[in-house]
Amino acid sequence: YQRRVHGGAAIASCLEFRLWESGDSTPYFLCSLLPVMPQSELRCFLRLCTSLTALPDSTLARKIAVFKSHRLYAHTCFRQLELPNFSSVDELYGALNAAFVSMTSNPEMHED
């Protein structure tokens, strides 16, 4: 039995963007990408940012802080995600998927 991941829109509402400038596109790209991601990728996104595989309810008590950075890097204990300013939603999606593949292919990072 696996708990169902809440929809991407619910996850997007749990994001808090920090250090981004008004002209930066990545916050918009991420908020538009999450609602159309399949459940398996939403589960990976939550694991990447929080170490959870499903939201305990419709929202998180503590938001996921998304910081502007020069790299894609996650701090699960603090529910923080660092992202560069991507030039397209496809570039962001590709970077996230590379992180998901890395997480799921590394035996030390399995949920078991």
Side-chain angles (χ1 to χ4, degrees), residues 7 16 19 22 29 51-52 57 59-60 63-65 69 81 85-86 97-98 100 106 109:
E16 183 178 274
L19 304 179
S22 61
F29 292 154
S51 77
L52 301 172
D57 57 30
T59 60
L60 287 172
K63 301 267 187 185
I64 298 168
S69 178
L81 179 64
N85 192 36
F86 290 99
N97 268 304
F100 300 160
N106 183 341
M109 297 184 77

Side-chain angles (χ1 to χ4, degrees), residues 20-35:
W20 294 91
E21 298 173 21
S22 61
D24 292 335
S25 300
T26 296
Y28 171 77
F29 292 154
L30 186 57
C31 288
S32 61
L33 181 60
L34 288 171

Side-chain angles (χ1 to χ4, degrees), residues 22-81:
S22 61
D24 292 335
S25 300
T26 296
Y28 171 77
F29 292 154
L30 186 57
C31 288
S32 61
L33 181 60
L34 288 171
V36 297
M37 278 183 156
Q39 289 286 308
S40 60
E41 291 176 357
L42 291 174
R43 191 174 308 280
C44 286
F45 182 80
L46 282 175
R47 270 191 67 211
L48 177 69
C49 299
T50 68
S51 77
L52 301 172
T53 56
L55 292 174
D57 57 30
S58 62
T59 60
L60 287 172
R62 192 174 59 194
K63 301 267 187 185
I64 298 168
V66 183
F67 288 90
K68 184 176 181 180
S69 178
H70 63 280
R71 62 186 180 168
L72 190 158
Y73 194 82
H75 308 270
T76 57
C77 292
F78 301 104
R79 294 187 178 176
Q80 295 177 349
L81 179 64

